[in-house]
């Protein structure tokens, strides 16, 4: 029987894990890292857990019965967030990790890694500004994944998702751990907004509405397929224009409403938790789990594209076809295709991450006969 001191050390161990060799030294070992009476589940890490998205997301994941171990990593404030969440009477055991020295410990043995880390968008800030900061953060965190949990499913939230997902893919390729089925850009907020705004127009309960959203996760690259909404509905051209514009500019709507104090953090956390739950149910072996996500894809000639995917034990089990598009949707899809090519690859070319990114990601531009433009871009950035 454990002594009183041993019991107290075991209960409190998750709040202050050793900075290294945690597997060997902690009384609360990862193999049995579960509160007394807890049920088996999955090990989940949130990287960026002390931020505006990370904190509410961490709370929602602490409430998820499929999570047995929840690791919270950030460069600041994780001890406080960890202590706060650890008081919730749910089964998941929470452990906090602070600073880059503890990144590997935070990631060891994880089944699912969720990455909301990075700076939020502020009024007047372009997605180019975001990319210049967040791409480096994503690279560092993904390098940690390659070292300590290369088989984990990675849910990437850090914006701009259209660009950070290709960056993450190249990090994994360089390490020899890339599995396109397990790298998923989280675009669920676009679907959540589409469901909400369509429900408002139709006078329905939002949870009864499902609108697939394809393309990308930025501005006009976001394409809600209103013609495929469930329940089936007909919209006037004015309603289609209104809904499409509002869904595409939902992030800007929140940034402006918060007047410089933040971006879409609460709704993003809700959407991310919803998508993470779908991934966990897929890992459990549940059938028929379909969500939209920005993934490596052959649905179009773009190497990455957001569309409906079927999730399972291996991550993305199937990428579903776009389905029939109406006339209104076909032209924006082409526009999305062109803009994603130009926008994403211009950013990647201009950001030196000391990898052979450029020619890999210019393949899309070449496909579109933009060889002369690509050559010009390369000359400009040398």
């Amino acid at each position: 029987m454990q002594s009183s001191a041993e019991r107290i050390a075991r209960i409190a161990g998750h709040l202050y894990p050793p900075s290294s060799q945690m597997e060997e030294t902690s009384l609360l070992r990862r193999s049995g890292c579960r509160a007394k009476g807890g049920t088996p589940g999955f090990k989940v890490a949130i990287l960026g857990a002390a931020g505006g998205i990370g904190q509410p997301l961490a709370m929602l994941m602490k409430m998820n019965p499929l999570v047995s171990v929840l690791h919270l990593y950030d460069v600041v404030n994780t001890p406080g967030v960890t202590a706060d969440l650890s008081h919730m009477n749910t089964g998941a055991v929470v452990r906090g990790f602070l600073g880059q020295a503890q990144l590997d410990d935070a990631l060891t043995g994880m089944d699912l890694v969720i990455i909301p880390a990075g700076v939020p968008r502020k009024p007047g800030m372009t997605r180019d500004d975001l990319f210049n900061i967040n791409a480096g953060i994503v690279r560092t965190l993904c390098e940690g994944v390659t070292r300590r949990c290369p088989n984990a499913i990675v849910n990437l939230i850090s914006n701009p998702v259209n660009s950070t997902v290709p960056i993450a893919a190249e990090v994994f390729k360089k390490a020899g751990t890339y599995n396109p089925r397990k790298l998923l850009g989280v675009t669920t907020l676009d679907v959540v907004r589409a469901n909400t705004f369509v429900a408002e127009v139709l006078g329905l309960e939002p949870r009864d509405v499902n609108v697939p959203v394809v393309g990308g996760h930025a501005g006009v690259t976001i394409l809600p397929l209103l013609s495929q909404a469930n329940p089936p509905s007909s919209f006037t051209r004015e309603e289609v224009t209104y809904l499409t514009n509002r869904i595409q500019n939902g992030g800007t709507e929140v940034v402006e409403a918060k007047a410089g104090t933040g971006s879409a953090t609460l709704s993003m956390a809700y959407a991310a938790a919803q998508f993470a739950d779908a991934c966990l149910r897929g890992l459990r072996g549940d059938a028929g789990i379909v969500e939209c996500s920005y993934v490596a894809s052959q649905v179009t000639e773009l190497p990455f594209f957001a569309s409906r995917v079927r999730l399972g034990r291996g991550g993305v089990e199937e990428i579903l076809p776009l389905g029939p598009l109406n006339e209104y949707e076909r032209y924006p899809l082409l526009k999305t295709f062109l803009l994603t090519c130009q926008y994403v690859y211009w950013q990647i070319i201009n950001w030196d991450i000391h990898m052979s990114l450029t020619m890999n990601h210019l393949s899309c531009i070449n496909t579109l006969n933009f060889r002369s433009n690509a050559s010009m871009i390369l000359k400009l950035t040398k």
Side-chain angles (χ1 to χ4, degrees):
M1 180 177 292
Q2 286 184 327
S3 68
S4 174
E6 288 174 325
R7 288 197 300 271
I8 291 173
R10 179 178 175 83
I11 293 169
H14 62 282
L15 290 175
Y16 304 104
S19 60
S20 63
Q21 302 299 320
M22 198 159 46
E23 285 283 345
E24 301 300 324
T25 60
S26 176
L27 287 173
L28 190 59
R29 299 183 188 280
R30 282 192 177 82
S31 59
C33 185
R34 186 170 299 120
K36 185 176 180 181
T39 57
F42 297 101
K43 299 177 182 180
V44 178
I46 299 176
L47 309 184
I53 297 170
Q55 289 197 41
L57 174 57
M59 183 182 71
L60 292 170
M61 297 310 295
K62 177 73 167 76
M63 296 167 63
N64 191 312
L66 295 179
V67 179
S68 62
V69 178
L70 182 62
H71 283 189
L72 307 181
Y73 169 85
D74 214 320
V75 294
V76 293
N77 300 333
T78 42
V81 176
T82 304
D84 197 357
L85 290 179
S86 71
H87 294 182
M88 294 171 58
N89 61 335
T90 61
V93 173
V94 186
R95 306 184 77 179
F97 301 83
L98 182 65
Q100 192 164 344
Q102 295 189 3
L103 175 61
D104 282 9
D105 287 334
L107 288 168
T108 299
M110 295 294 104
D111 300 304
L112 174 66
V113 178
I114 311 172
I115 307 180
V119 300
R121 189 156 64 102
K122 299 177 181 178
M125 180 181 285
T126 68
R127 284 185 168 82
D128 291 329
D129 299 327
L130 273 183
F131 178 81
N132 291 333
I133 300 171
N134 289 349
I137 295 171
V138 167
R139 179 185 66 173
T140 298
L141 298 178
C142 288
E143 287 171 345
V145 171
T146 67
R147 292 189 297 269
R148 304 309 289 264
C149 55
N151 295 318
I153 292 176
V154 176
N155 289 357
L156 189 51
I157 299 169
S158 306
N159 272 318
V161 167
N162 288 4
S163 303
T164 55
V165 170
I167 290 291
E170 291 302 321
V171 173
F172 296 145
K173 287 177 184 177
K174 185 181 181 183
T177 63
Y178 181 52
N179 182 346
R181 295 169 55 192
K182 292 190 173 184
L183 174 59
L184 299 92
V186 180
T187 61
T188 312
L189 182 53
D190 299 327
V191 177
V192 166
R193 286 171 173 152
N195 295 345
T196 300
F197 302 157
V198 166
E200 289 176 357
V201 168
L202 299 178
L204 299 174
E205 162 62 48
R207 286 171 291 190
D208 295 334
V209 176
N210 186 18
V211 181
V213 181
V214 303
H217 186 57
V220 295
T221 69
I222 299 168
L223 179 59
L225 300 182
L226 298 172
S227 67
Q228 298 180 28
N230 189 29
S233 307
S234 60
F235 301 94
T236 66
R237 178 168 284 280
E238 290 74 19
E239 287 172 334
V240 169
T241 300
Y242 163 78
L243 287 168
T244 300
N245 289 340
R246 192 174 180 205
I247 294 163
Q248 289 176 340
N249 296 297
T252 301
E253 180 180 319
V254 175
V255 168
E256 292 177 350
K258 289 190 174 182
T261 63
S263 59
T265 52
L266 301 177
S267 56
M268 182 66 248
Y270 168 81
Q274 179 177 299
F275 186 73
D277 179 71
C279 290
L280 294 177
R281 286 184 287 124
L283 281 172
R284 186 173 63 179
D286 292 13
I289 309 299
V290 175
E291 297 286 340
C292 290
S293 180
Y294 187 72
V295 296
S297 171
Q298 295 181 344
V299 168
T300 69
E301 292 184 67
L302 284 170
F304 294 90
F305 195 80
S307 55
R308 293 179 301 154
V309 300
R310 181 171 59 82
L311 301 171
R313 294 187 187 277
V316 176
E317 300 288 355
E318 181 184 9
I319 299 174
L320 303 178
L322 289 176
L325 305 179
N326 63 27
E327 182 180 354
Y328 186 88
E329 292 161 349
R330 281 193 295 270
Y331 172 72
L333 183 63
L334 176 60
K335 189 176 180 182
T336 294
F337 189 97
L338 295 169
L339 287 173
T340 302
C341 284
Q342 294 173 315
Y343 173 73
V344 174
Y345 304 111
W346 173 265
Q347 285 187 319
I348 291 174
I349 291 166
N350 275 282
W351 189 65
D352 178 17
I353 61 169
H354 309 293
M355 290 185 214
S356 57
L357 284 174
T358 302
M359 293 317 297
N360 289 339
H361 290 287
L362 280 174
S363 61
C364 163
I365 297 176
N366 291 340
T367 299
L368 290 171
N369 296 319
F370 285 160
R371 294 179 188 273
S372 60
N373 289 348
S375 299
M376 178 185 69
I377 292 171
L378 287 173
K379 289 177 183 177
L380 289 172
T381 55
K382 283 182 178 179

